[in-house]
Amino acid sequence: MSSVTKLNCPTCKTQVEWTDKFPFRPFCCQRCQQIDFGGWAQESFAIKGAALLDPEVMDSDQLAQELLNAGMIDPDLLDS
């Protein structure tokens, strides 16, 4: 007999089994999943650490170069 992993829902702390019985795992239900997603969308949650690209501490040329290197902007959009 295999043991089923159990954990608490991150939102409401209800115990959740890591099985198909809880399709929104690690959340107990879609409502708790959406509450958590809303927190991330409203920036209520954050991952610790400095922003990788912080426009407030980079000059525009430096920021443009970093975005170019990351493939996030089209090089044809930059002035020569």
Side-chain angles (χ1 to χ4, degrees), residues 53-69 73 77-79:
L53 297 175
D54 188 347
E56 292 182 15
V57 297
M58 301 173 86
D59 65 40
S60 60
D61 291 335
Q62 185 182 18
L63 180 60
Q65 189 60 48
E66 291 292 333
L67 292 172
L68 178 66
N69 292 343
I73 58 172
L77 297 176
L78 297 178
D79 295 333

Side-chain angles (χ1 to χ4, degrees), residues 24-43:
F24 298 101
R25 60 192 176 272
F27 304 97
C28 66
C29 62
Q30 187 174 20
R31 178 180 177 273
C32 283
Q33 183 187 49
Q34 293 298 314
I35 290 169
D36 185 79
F37 179 73
W40 285 102
Q42 293 176 356
E43 298 184 359

Side-chain angles (χ1 to χ4, degrees), residues 4-29:
V4 175
T5 300
K6 295 180 182 180
L7 57 135
N8 292 330
C9 172
T11 305
C12 72
K13 309 304 181 214
T14 297
Q15 191 169 64
V16 176
E17 294 178 357
W18 201 267
T19 66
D20 291 340
K21 181 179 174 184
F22 293 93
F24 298 101
R25 60 192 176 272
F27 304 97
C28 66
C29 62

